[in-house]
PDB file of all heavy atoms in Angstrom:
ATOM      1  N   VAL D  56     -19.384 -11.784   2.495  1.00  0.00           N
ATOM      2  CA  VAL D  56     -20.173 -12.929   1.965  1.00  0.00           C
ATOM      3  C   VAL D  56     -19.592 -13.381   0.632  1.00  0.00           C
ATOM      4  O   VAL D  56     -19.444 -14.590   0.400  1.00  0.00           O
ATOM      5  CB  VAL D  56     -21.646 -12.528   1.838  1.00  0.00           C
ATOM      6  CG1 VAL D  56     -22.435 -13.610   1.087  1.00  0.00           C
ATOM      7  CG2 VAL D  56     -22.269 -12.276   3.196  1.00  0.00           C
ATOM      8  N   VAL D  57     -19.280 -12.436  -0.253  1.00  0.00           N
ATOM      9  CA  VAL D  57     -18.714 -12.777  -1.561  1.00  0.00           C
ATOM     10  C   VAL D  57     -17.371 -13.483  -1.388  1.00  0.00           C
ATOM     11  O   VAL D  57     -17.076 -14.469  -2.086  1.00  0.00           O
ATOM     12  CB  VAL D  57     -18.578 -11.520  -2.423  1.00  0.00           C
ATOM     13  CG1 VAL D  57     -17.741 -11.841  -3.680  1.00  0.00           C
ATOM     14  CG2 VAL D  57     -19.913 -10.975  -2.803  1.00  0.00           C
ATOM     15  N   MET D  58     -16.541 -12.988  -0.446  1.00  0.00           N
ATOM     16  CA  MET D  58     -15.237 -13.619  -0.230  1.00  0.00           C
ATOM     17  C   MET D  58     -15.391 -15.045   0.277  1.00  0.00           C
ATOM     18  O   MET D  58     -14.659 -15.947  -0.142  1.00  0.00           O
ATOM     19  CB  MET D  58     -14.429 -12.793   0.777  1.00  0.00           C
ATOM     20  CG  MET D  58     -13.981 -11.442   0.252  1.00  0.00           C
ATOM     21  SD  MET D  58     -12.878 -11.574  -1.174  1.00  0.00           S
ATOM     22  CE  MET D  58     -11.560 -12.534  -0.501  1.00  0.00           C
ATOM     23  N   MET D  59     -16.342 -15.252   1.190  1.00  0.00           N
ATOM     24  CA  MET D  59     -16.582 -16.609   1.698  1.00  0.00           C
ATOM     25  C   MET D  59     -17.057 -17.528   0.577  1.00  0.00           C
ATOM     26  O   MET D  59     -16.583 -18.677   0.433  1.00  0.00           O
ATOM     27  CB  MET D  59     -17.618 -16.576   2.835  1.00  0.00           C
ATOM     28  CG  MET D  59     -17.121 -15.900   4.091  1.00  0.00           C
ATOM     29  SD  MET D  59     -18.383 -15.782   5.370  1.00  0.00           S
ATOM     30  CE  MET D  59     -18.685 -17.515   5.712  1.00  0.00           C
ATOM     31  N   ALA D  60     -18.020 -17.052  -0.221  1.00  0.00           N
ATOM     32  CA  ALA D  60     -18.535 -17.876  -1.302  1.00  0.00           C
ATOM     33  C   ALA D  60     -17.440 -18.156  -2.353  1.00  0.00           C
ATOM     34  O   ALA D  60     -17.326 -19.291  -2.851  1.00  0.00           O
ATOM     35  CB  ALA D  60     -19.710 -17.149  -1.974  1.00  0.00           C
ATOM     36  N   GLY D  61     -16.631 -17.149  -2.637  1.00  0.00           N
ATOM     37  CA  GLY D  61     -15.560 -17.334  -3.605  1.00  0.00           C
ATOM     38  C   GLY D  61     -14.534 -18.341  -3.119  1.00  0.00           C
ATOM     39  O   GLY D  61     -14.015 -19.128  -3.902  1.00  0.00           O
ATOM     40  N   THR D  62     -14.202 -18.292  -1.837  1.00  0.00           N
ATOM     41  CA  THR D  62     -13.260 -19.230  -1.278  1.00  0.00           C
ATOM     42  C   THR D  62     -13.760 -20.677  -1.390  1.00  0.00           C
ATOM     43  O   THR D  62     -13.024 -21.601  -1.741  1.00  0.00           O
ATOM     44  CB  THR D  62     -12.957 -18.876   0.198  1.00  0.00           C
ATOM     45  OG1 THR D  62     -12.396 -17.562   0.262  1.00  0.00           O
ATOM     46  CG2 THR D  62     -11.977 -19.883   0.812  1.00  0.00           C
ATOM     47  N   ILE D  63     -15.047 -20.839  -1.046  1.00  0.00           N
ATOM     48  CA  ILE D  63     -15.640 -22.173  -1.150  1.00  0.00           C
ATOM     49  C   ILE D  63     -15.615 -22.678  -2.588  1.00  0.00           C
ATOM     50  O   ILE D  63     -15.279 -23.840  -2.864  1.00  0.00           O
ATOM     51  CB  ILE D  63     -17.071 -22.159  -0.588  1.00  0.00           C
ATOM     52  CG1 ILE D  63     -17.046 -21.881   0.918  1.00  0.00           C
ATOM     53  CG2 ILE D  63     -17.785 -23.491  -0.851  1.00  0.00           C
ATOM     54  CD1 ILE D  63     -18.433 -21.647   1.508  1.00  0.00           C
ATOM     55  N   TRP D  64     -15.941 -21.803  -3.537  1.00  0.00           N
ATOM     56  CA  TRP D  64     -15.994 -22.195  -4.954  1.00  0.00           C
ATOM     57  C   TRP D  64     -14.610 -22.516  -5.500  1.00  0.00           C
ATOM     58  O   TRP D  64     -14.419 -23.438  -6.298  1.00  0.00           O
ATOM     59  CB  TRP D  64     -16.653 -21.052  -5.734  1.00  0.00           C
ATOM     60  CG  TRP D  64     -16.827 -21.381  -7.199  1.00  0.00           C
ATOM     61  CD1 TRP D  64     -17.664 -22.321  -7.756  1.00  0.00           C
ATOM     62  CD2 TRP D  64     -16.108 -20.775  -8.273  1.00  0.00           C
ATOM     63  NE1 TRP D  64     -17.493 -22.341  -9.123  1.00  0.00           N
ATOM     64  CE2 TRP D  64     -16.557 -21.382  -9.481  1.00  0.00           C
ATOM     65  CE3 TRP D  64     -15.128 -19.778  -8.334  1.00  0.00           C
ATOM     66  CZ2 TRP D  64     -16.065 -21.045 -10.724  1.00  0.00           C
ATOM     67  CZ3 TRP D  64     -14.631 -19.436  -9.595  1.00  0.00           C
ATOM     68  CH2 TRP D  64     -15.104 -20.063 -10.778  1.00  0.00           C
ATOM     69  N   LEU D  65     -13.614 -21.742  -5.090  1.00  0.00           N
ATOM     70  CA  LEU D  65     -12.266 -21.940  -5.614  1.00  0.00           C
ATOM     71  C   LEU D  65     -11.473 -23.003  -4.908  1.00  0.00           C
ATOM     72  O   LEU D  65     -10.418 -23.454  -5.411  1.00  0.00           O
ATOM     73  CB  LEU D  65     -11.491 -20.605  -5.524  1.00  0.00           C
ATOM     74  CG  LEU D  65     -11.907 -19.479  -6.481  1.00  0.00           C
ATOM     75  CD1 LEU D  65     -11.176 -18.199  -6.131  1.00  0.00           C
ATOM     76  CD2 LEU D  65     -11.641 -19.886  -7.927  1.00  0.00           C
ATOM     77  N   TRP D  66     -11.920 -23.448  -3.718  1.00  0.00           N
ATOM     78  CA  TRP D  66     -11.117 -24.333  -2.868  1.00  0.00           C
ATOM     79  C   TRP D  66     -10.705 -25.621  -3.606  1.00  0.00           C
ATOM     80  O   TRP D  66      -9.557 -26.053  -3.509  1.00  0.00           O
ATOM     81  CB  TRP D  66     -11.849 -24.688  -1.612  1.00  0.00           C
ATOM     82  CG  TRP D  66     -10.911 -25.187  -0.528  1.00  0.00           C
ATOM     83  CD1 TRP D  66     -10.755 -26.477  -0.113  1.00  0.00           C
ATOM     84  CD2 TRP D  66      -9.973 -24.427   0.192  1.00  0.00           C
ATOM     85  NE1 TRP D  66      -9.808 -26.578   0.857  1.00  0.00           N
ATOM     86  CE2 TRP D  66      -9.292 -25.314   1.052  1.00  0.00           C
ATOM     87  CE3 TRP D  66      -9.621 -23.074   0.202  1.00  0.00           C
ATOM     88  CZ2 TRP D  66      -8.302 -24.901   1.935  1.00  0.00           C
ATOM     89  CZ3 TRP D  66      -8.641 -22.647   1.081  1.00  0.00           C
ATOM     90  CH2 TRP D  66      -7.984 -23.558   1.930  1.00  0.00           C
ATOM     91  N   PRO D  67     -11.613 -26.284  -4.376  1.00  0.00           N
ATOM     92  CA  PRO D  67     -11.172 -27.502  -5.079  1.00  0.00           C
ATOM     93  C   PRO D  67     -10.021 -27.221  -6.060  1.00  0.00           C
ATOM     94  O   PRO D  67      -9.121 -28.047  -6.230  1.00  0.00           O
ATOM     95  CB  PRO D  67     -12.429 -27.934  -5.850  1.00  0.00           C
ATOM     96  CG  PRO D  67     -13.554 -27.404  -5.028  1.00  0.00           C
ATOM     97  CD  PRO D  67     -13.043 -26.049  -4.543  1.00  0.00           C
TER      98      PRO D  67
END
Side-chain angles (χ1 to χ4, degrees):
V56 171
V57 170
M58 291 299 301
M59 291 176 64
T62 299
I63 294 172
W64 182 69
L65 290 173
W66 199 256

